[in-house]
Amino acid sequence: MTELRNVEADLSRFRVRVLVAGLAVLFCFSLVVARLIYLQVYRHPDLMAQAESNRTAIVPIVPNRGLILDRNGIVLASNYSAYTLEITPSKVADLEATIAALEQLIDIQPRDKRRFKRLREESKSFESIALRTRLSDEEVARFAARRFSFPGVDIKARLFRSYPYGELGSHVVGYIGRINQAEKDAIEEREEEGNYRGTDYIGKLGVEQSFEKELHGQTGVEQMETSAGGRALRRLATSPATPGNTVMLSLDIGLQKLVEDMFGSRRGALVALDPTNGEVLAFVSKPSFDPNLFVDGIDQESWQALNESIDKPLLNRALRGTYPPGSTYKPFMAMAALETGKRSATTIINDPGFYMFGGHRFGSPENERGGLMDMNRAIVESSNVYFYTLANELGVEAMHDFMAPLGFGQLSGIDINGEVRGVLPNQAWKRRYFKRPEQQKWFAGETISLGIGQGYNSFTMLQLAQATAILANNGVKHKPRLVIGTQDTVTRALHPLPAEAPVNLGYKPDNVAVIRKALVGVTQGGTSTKVFAGAKYLSGGKTGTAQAVSMGQKDKYNKARLEEHQRDHALYMAFAPADKPKIALAVIVENAGWGAGVAAPIARRVFDYVLLGQYPSEEDMLAVQAGRAAAPTGKPRLAADMQALLVGDTPGAVVLAAGRQAVAVPKPQPASLVVQEKTVQEKPVQAPRQGSAAAKPVKKPAKPASTAALPGN
């Protein structure tokens, strides 16, 4: 018997299956639609950006670094364009073989390889790294003919920093170097990483470092369309870079060169200020270094020569070298006596050639005449005994409180980084500095040596120059500054940097007059009379000789028996003209002996340059360098001619100033900030490698030579 199928049941099951299949299809279709909506609507901005980034590349445009000019518009730091041979390591199969093959075409020195190796360690594999810089046209042509043989190797045109005067003023101008990790972190903290995309170098020292923000400029961007392989096809959009601003210094590079030449191979420092506004006219630290060595990355041999030299050329002695001021401290001690009422100018002190205190004998130089001393004669003849007794009367705390506003042992706030404070001692300082309780107690005998600028006293030449400028300016204090203005490279707008308001220390005019009269007496009948003989102006000054090492009570100073670095320092502080000072300075020549014989002659020629427009004769310059000069000899040359010669003889040197092609007369007049735009393309002057350099800042104050026969003038 045949069973009949239930058609209705089959239809019902079919309908269910069709419905389930339809719902499944509808669900799947809904998922596709939902995904489509999600991608096309909600993710549209992100995906559009990703697609655009796959199609385009953003290339940073590094801005031209701003120029640095002196007060007369002479270019001290600029840029030049040169070809570099660069390798992208990720695109080179065998790096060593490639470099070896390149050596057959282009001169590649061992120092180039060492620099390349160091830069490779600091860079990413896909970054282009320079193997050789400053290629000649012939080298560029030779490589271009064989370029197909060197995948991953290319020649690029880059801007390089140039310092046309080499070592001249290098501690002020500074230099640039490759950005290190600490600097990258600092840039990120300041949220400036976008402005440094593509930038490899940053200011490391001096004005280059302190005014990095002004000099760097704003990085631009270039949007390029690329192929699937990453090759650039066409430029889509460009936002040009904004060059860095021009920075103008108060420095007179002609005066700077004169001073550096007068130092010769000796170590020391000189700071010259305009006492009426605090502008720095000269800021010398000798020996110095060639900043061009750092532009491409200094090689190991040159770095060792600079860093390991006993003369320390990398030390900015004017800013960071600290020294006992010697007898140049005496005028400020006398001012303290007058202002505190401890002594009048007419108080008489007998100077028998020594001073006994607590069973210790404090001596005087053998050439000191001694006798009855009032304040004027004590300064003019540099009596040690007068100031020993004055220090005892004032006490260490009163001395500290009076000297601090003058800037001794304080940061001046000058507008470049790295200044040190030095040591202006008092009881609180000694408790902080020394660890053992028995060392922390202040002894009365330690006060005595402070009166003649010895003991724990340790100051920079910047501090001594600022204090001298305050006396020259009748007690009005100006903050020292090196940068007097900037110019916007786009708008050409001039931006003079306003000076801070001066501070009047409130000295009584009669007291200031007493000290200034005595300082003039030093040049007319005192320790620097021979140096200023025949000068066409009056100046005030004070010689100083400071111990580099401590000596005992029975020890006698004998230059011949001491190592050169143990001999006394020669100092001089001065201002001119005496009635209305335009310049105040402090100078030290390390381990050179008496201030009157070595330091004062340098000051005399600085004043002749600034006030009379005179430059020493060749024979006189040699005498100053040898430390055998007094008053100038020979026929002086014109300072303006020598400055013009300086510019004309220096490759790459340029004068930028509105309406003038020649160099201005070198006088410390208010600097013009009007400069013209000019493209500067020069090659740096390669100076010889340094083999010697400068002194070091005092890390630990020397034990006061409280019983020694101390130098006094």
Side-chain angles (χ1 to χ4, degrees):
M1 186 175 174
T2 303
E3 182 178 357
L4 297 176
R5 296 182 60 185
N6 189 337
V7 177
E8 290 296 330
D10 290 342
L11 288 173
S12 178
R13 284 193 297 271
F14 176 76
R15 292 189 186 98
V16 171
R17 290 172 182 171
V18 170
L19 179 61
V20 171
L23 291 174
V25 171
L26 181 62
F27 176 74
C28 292
F29 184 75
S30 299
L31 289 177
V32 172
V33 173
R35 182 63 176 171
L36 184 63
I37 294 173
Y38 172 73
L39 294 176
Q40 292 291 332
V41 178
Y42 294 101
R43 290 293 308 280
H44 179 269
D46 295 338
L47 297 176
M48 188 68 176
Q50 290 181 24
E52 189 67 15
S53 65
N54 291 333
R55 185 181 71 91
T56 62
I58 302 298
V59 180
I61 304 174
V62 180
N64 293 353
R65 195 167 178 86
L67 306 180
I68 300 177
L69 314 178
D70 88 330
R71 68 185 300 115
N72 294 313
I74 299 176
V75 177
L76 307 181
S78 60
N79 310 296
Y80 71 98
S81 179
Y83 291 111
T84 65
L85 181 68
E86 302 193 6
I87 300 177
T88 305
S90 63
K91 297 180 180 180
V92 177
D94 189 336
L95 193 58
E96 296 299 328
T98 299
I99 294 176
L102 287 170
E103 287 184 274
Q104 305 303 314
L105 296 176
I106 295 174
D107 180 25
I108 300 174
Q109 297 294 322
R111 68 181 297 269
D112 298 321
K113 296 179 183 178
R114 290 194 296 268
R115 186 183 64 244
F116 177 81
K117 181 180 179 182
R118 187 182 70 251
L119 295 178
R120 185 186 173 196
E121 293 171 352
E122 299 172 356
S123 307
K124 297 180 176 61
S125 62
F126 57 82
E127 292 181 337
S128 181
I129 304 171
L131 176 62
R132 250 293 306 279
T133 60
R134 283 175 270 183
L135 299 177
S136 66
D137 292 341
E138 182 181 348
E139 289 174 322
V140 172
R142 283 203 302 267
F143 176 80
R146 297 285 307 279
R147 188 172 189 169
F148 64 90
S149 302
F150 298 97
V153 184
D154 203 356
I155 285 183
K156 296 183 180 180
R158 291 186 181 269
L159 282 176
F160 290 88
R161 198 64 162 165
S162 170
Y163 303 98
Y165 293 101
E167 295 185 11
L168 182 58
S170 59
H171 285 100
V172 175
V173 176
Y175 63 89
I176 64 170
R178 194 170 181 85
I179 299 175
N180 58 37
Q181 189 58 49
E183 288 160 341
K184 288 180 181 178
D185 294 341
I187 290 171
E188 290 177 1
E189 287 181 7
R190 297 195 302 266
E191 298 182 352
E192 295 178 346
E193 60 267 31
N195 195 36
Y196 278 82
R197 288 184 60 190
T199 301
D200 296 325
Y201 297 91
I202 196 170
K204 297 281 187 176
L205 196 72
V207 173
E208 290 277 29
Q209 179 189 50
S210 301
F211 286 80
E212 168 67 25
K213 187 174 182 180
E214 288 283 348
L215 291 166
H216 178 262
Q218 294 292 320
T219 299
V221 293
E222 195 171 57
Q223 189 179 27
M224 303 293 295
E225 184 177 15
T226 60
S227 65
R231 188 168 62 88
L233 298 177
R234 63 190 177 97
R235 183 184 295 109
L236 299 177
T238 300
S239 175
T242 303
N245 294 332
T246 295
V247 172
M248 177 170 278
L249 310 184
S250 60
L251 208 69
D252 182 336
I253 198 62
L255 176 60
Q256 182 85 10
K257 185 179 189 305
L258 168 64
V259 177
E260 294 196 17
D261 286 348
M262 286 192 290
F263 269 95
S265 61
R266 299 173 297 183
R267 301 176 303 278
L270 178 145
V271 176
L273 304 172
D274 184 337
T276 64
N277 55 26
E279 291 180 6
V280 178
L281 306 177
F283 202 81
V284 173
S285 176
K286 286 287 291 183
S288 55
F289 62 93
D290 184 1
N292 290 301
L293 293 173
F294 293 87
V295 171
D296 296 338
I298 189 168
D299 64 276
Q300 187 66 25
E301 294 176 0
S302 297
W303 173 250
Q304 286 181 341
L306 292 172
N307 197 44
E308 298 177 5
S309 169
I310 190 173
D311 291 326
K312 300 189 182 301
L314 295 177
L315 170 66
N316 187 339
R317 285 171 157 80
L319 192 69
R320 298 183 57 80
T322 59
Y323 311 87
S327 292
T328 61
Y329 204 52
K330 292 175 179 177
F332 306 103
M333 287 290 297
M335 192 69 195
L338 295 176
E339 286 292 312
T340 59
K342 289 292 184 179
R343 278 187 190 172
S344 70
T346 56
T347 301
I348 302 296
I349 301 294
N350 182 43
D351 179 359
F354 63 91
Y355 177 63
M356 297 299 299
F357 183 86
H360 296 283
R361 179 188 176 99
F362 293 83
S364 298
E366 293 180 356
N367 62 344
E368 188 177 297
R369 285 181 285 181
L372 299 178
M373 297 282 174
D374 62 4
M375 186 173 288
N376 186 82
R377 187 184 176 199
I379 294 175
V380 171
E381 298 187 10
S382 199
S383 167
N384 276 9
V385 172
Y386 184 94
F387 291 98
Y388 286 146
T389 60
L390 178 56
N392 186 44
E393 292 174 20
L394 284 170
V396 64
E397 296 301 331
M399 282 190 283
H400 174 277
D401 294 345
F402 183 82
M403 298 299 177
L406 281 164
F408 290 113
Q410 316 298 312
L411 297 178
S412 71
I414 192 170
D415 48 359
I416 57 173
N417 300 333
E419 182 181 9
V420 299
R421 187 177 294 274
V423 176
L424 178 63
N426 66 350
Q427 297 180 68
W429 166 82
K430 195 175 184 186
R431 287 193 297 269
R432 289 194 308 269
Y433 187 82
F434 291 100
K435 303 302 180 184
R436 297 202 301 265
E438 63 271 20
Q439 295 177 313
Q440 295 176 342
K441 182 180 178 181
W442 187 272
F443 297 97
E446 294 175 320
T447 304
I448 307 303
S449 296
L450 300 180
I452 64 165
Q454 292 287 165
Y456 292 120
N457 286 326
S458 185
F459 311 125
T460 66
M461 285 303 102
L462 175 58
Q463 292 170 348
L464 182 56
Q466 183 183 32
T468 303
I470 293 171
L471 273 185
N473 202 33
N474 298 313
V476 178
K477 178 180 180 180
H478 288 273
K479 181 178 176 180
R481 59 182 187 141
L482 277 160
V483 176
I484 54 178
T486 63
Q487 182 183 38
D488 190 294
T489 54
V490 177
T491 65
R492 296 289 170 262
L494 305 174
H495 302 287
L497 298 183
E500 289 189 9
V503 178
N504 193 328
L505 299 185
Y507 296 156
K508 295 178 181 178
D510 291 345
N511 293 340
V512 176
V514 168
I515 306 303
R516 288 178 55 168
K517 179 182 177 182
L519 293 176
V520 172
V522 172
T523 68
Q524 300 304 300
T527 52
S528 62
T529 302
K530 293 181 180 180
V531 174
F532 285 88
K536 297 179 181 179
Y537 52 85
L538 280 179
S539 66
K542 182 70 189 77
T543 55
T545 304
Q547 287 183 338
V549 294
S550 299
M551 297 179 64
Q553 179 179 1
K554 297 182 180 180
D555 294 334
K556 185 176 181 180
Y557 179 79
N558 188 325
K559 176 180 177 180
R561 294 181 180 178
L562 294 174
E563 296 290 336
E564 195 267 344
H565 280 74
Q566 295 178 322
R567 297 170 187 170
D568 291 345
H569 301 314
L571 297 100
Y572 195 65
M573 54 82 80
F575 57 85
D579 57 341
K580 195 174 181 181
K582 296 180 180 179
I583 180 173
L585 62 79
V587 56
I588 185 169
V589 184
E590 291 181 10
N591 313 114
W594 300 106
V598 181
I602 294 177
R604 165 69 192 270
R605 284 134 186 95
V606 169
F607 291 163
D608 286 353
Y609 178 99
V610 172
L611 302 178
L612 305 178
Q614 294 181 352
Y615 202 93
S617 65
E618 291 185 10
E619 61 183 277
D620 190 47
M621 179 68 77
L622 292 174
V624 175
Q625 291 173 346
R628 299 193 304 267
T633 58
K635 183 179 180 181
R637 294 168 283 184
L638 291 178
D641 291 346
M642 297 303 296
Q643 193 175 39
L645 187 63
L646 167 68
V647 176
D649 285 352
T650 304
V654 179
V655 178
L656 301 181
R660 61 179 160 179
Q661 298 300 321
V663 180
V665 176
K667 293 184 179 180
Q669 301 166 346
S672 170
L673 292 179
V674 183
V675 296
Q676 297 175 342
E677 179 183 13
K678 187 166 184 177
T679 301
V680 183
Q681 294 186 353
E682 64 257 14
K683 295 185 178 180
V685 180
Q686 294 297 328
R689 182 185 306 163
Q690 290 283 353
S692 62
K696 55 187 176 181
V698 174
K699 295 181 179 179
K700 182 176 181 179
K703 183 179 180 180
S706 58
T707 61
L710 296 173
N713 52 357

